[in-house]
Amino acid sequence: MITKRIKVVDSHTGGEPTRVVISGGPDLKKGSLSDRRMLFQTDFDDFRSAIVNEPRGSDAMVGALLCEPVDPSCVAGVIFFNNVGYLEMCGHGTIGLIVTLAHIGTIGLGTHRIETPVGVIEATLDGPNSVTIRNVPSYRIAKTVAVEVEGIGIICGDIAWGGNWFFLVNDHAEVLHISNIDRLIDVTWKIRQALKRQGITGAEGQEIDHIELFSQSPTADSRNFVLCPGKAYDRSPCGTGTSAKVACLVADGKLKPGVWYRQESVIGSLFEARATLDGDQIIPEIRGTAFVTAEAELIITDADPFAMGIRA
Ligand code: PYC
């Protein structure tokens, strides 16, 4: 019987879980982070499923494989993954990763550079649980795009990049409350399918795999509901989704660079965000908190029929 042991540290960022793989991951060689992400996907996808899917994980779990960075100025490289595949970037996951790296003694307070498949980002550990990330440049490519959604009618939204592709909808009839999750998943899933059917994509034909609804909030500037690619909803306000929102607000002249904006999630957790400018690029900063929930050794044994996770 062959048994593998994988060291992980779990955390949550505003309720959204992150599982950082500290050791025991696949050998992805020494290429760029995006090459290593491709190799992960083609040769080791079973490993992804084993880490985040049931029975060890859940649909909401985001995995973060720690990698040796190519750029020596970076403290770590990371590849994010979820229940159905790989994420380009993950805001809540980066906040969880930074708190985890501090927890295991790799970093202290201050600013650290992290390499991802879509570029280097900076993250500042402001306190034991508080992190501010400086995300990749974020931008809107289309405003008020109309899509015909089955059983609902025409829904209009903006298409923006915040490290993942988002369809951002302000104008809808939904109640963004935790008691309404099933309906919100159903509606946003239908929007995603409609976008796909109607050939509405990201800038280079990428599928728009995150759908974001907004409403007013009595305690923040806005409340959101974010549907993630594998049909789980983000318990946090979504770091890349909040970055995409910041890009839209700046483009509409509704948020001035440097001014903090408070984005609340559907479960009431909070990120603060602001736009900074680098030339004409919008670089969102996202601040949130994460807490470590477990240190564990996952056991994968070939006698287990569900060793590599349950998947469709
Ligand atoms: O925080 O960027 C984020 C994120 C993406 C998917 C789940 N969380």
Side-chain angles (χ1 to χ4, degrees):
M1 188 170 66
I2 302 170
T3 297
K4 281 194 71 173
R5 289 172 180 272
I6 294 136
K7 276 202 164 63
V8 300
V9 174
D10 287 357
S11 62
H12 79 87
T13 306
E16 180 76 351
T18 306
R19 173 165 286 167
V20 178
V21 176
I22 306 290
S23 65
D27 178 6
L28 299 179
K29 315 287 182 214
K30 294 264 178 249
S32 69
L33 263 280
S34 71
D35 286 349
R36 277 184 266 176
R37 195 198 75 154
M38 285 304 291
L39 191 61
F40 194 172
Q41 188 166 352
T42 52
D43 291 8
F44 300 101
D45 196 56
D46 273 3
F47 181 86
R48 173 192 63 74
S49 171
I51 302 303
V52 292
N53 281 341
E54 292 181 13
R56 295 180 196 85
S58 78
D59 281 355
M61 182 68 83
V62 169
L65 180 68
L66 263 188
C67 302
E68 202 53 48
V70 178
D71 179 340
S73 72
C74 293
V75 70
V78 64
I79 301 172
F80 292 110
F81 51 100
N82 63 15
N83 55 337
V84 291
Y86 300 82
L87 287 162
E88 303 285 10
M89 192 7 222
C90 183
H92 93 268
T94 305
I95 294 170
L97 170 68
I98 291 293
V99 167
T100 294
L101 289 176
H103 178 80
I104 63 174
T106 305
I107 61 169
L109 293 179
T111 299
H112 307 280
R113 284 163 63 80
I114 306 283
E115 201 165 301
T116 78
V118 286
V120 171
I121 57 145
E122 280 183 0
T124 304
L125 184 65
D126 305 309
N129 300 98
S130 172
V131 178
T132 306
I133 65 168
R134 231 173 118 67
N135 198 4
V136 293
S138 300
Y139 50 89
R140 179 170 72 187
I141 61 163
K143 182 176 161 69
T144 322
V145 176
V147 62
E148 173 77 42
V149 182
E150 189 199 337
I152 296 174
I154 299 279
I155 291 278
C156 292
D158 292 2
I159 301 173
W161 169 260
N164 293 295
W165 283 106
F166 287 83
F167 192 68
L168 302 97
V169 180
N170 293 315
D171 196 8
H172 57 81
E174 306 309 321
V175 178
L176 305 193
H177 191 266
I178 194 163
S179 60
N180 198 29
I181 291 294
D182 289 350
R183 158 101 192 156
L184 293 170
I185 290 175
D186 186 50
V187 167
T188 48
W189 186 251
K190 282 186 174 141
I191 296 174
R192 177 175 167 188
Q193 286 173 317
L195 290 168
K196 192 172 176 185
R197 235 186 351 261
Q198 290 164 48
I200 299 170
T201 66
E204 286 160 14
Q206 302 95 327
E207 182 170 358
I208 300 170
D209 56 5
H210 291 73
I211 311 297
E212 192 165 8
L213 306 181
F214 295 91
S215 72
Q216 292 187 330
S217 157
T219 49
D221 292 305
S222 157
R223 169 173 276 234
N224 70 7
F225 171 87
V226 181
L227 185 74
C228 297
K231 223 176 175 181
Y233 75 96
D234 198 332
R235 280 71 171 158
S236 86
C238 191
T240 51
T242 301
S243 298
K245 176 68 175 176
V246 160
C248 294
L249 289 169
V250 172
D252 286 334
K254 291 184 176 160
L255 183 68
K256 287 196 170 33
V259 175
W260 287 98
Y261 172 82
R262 288 158 59 83
Q263 180 67 62
E264 181 184 60
S265 76
V266 70
I267 68 158
S269 57
L270 191 77
F271 282 169
E272 292 175 295
R274 68 176 175 180
T276 64
L277 293 181
D278 183 3
D280 57 3
Q281 290 191 317
I282 297 167
I283 315 286
E285 289 186 353
I286 308 291
R287 180 176 294 159
T289 53
F291 293 85
V292 168
T293 53
E295 291 172 344
E297 201 166 66
L298 305 183
I299 295 174
I300 299 181
T301 173
D302 60 2
D304 176 358
F306 295 108
M308 303 321 270
I310 302 168
R311 53 180 161 172

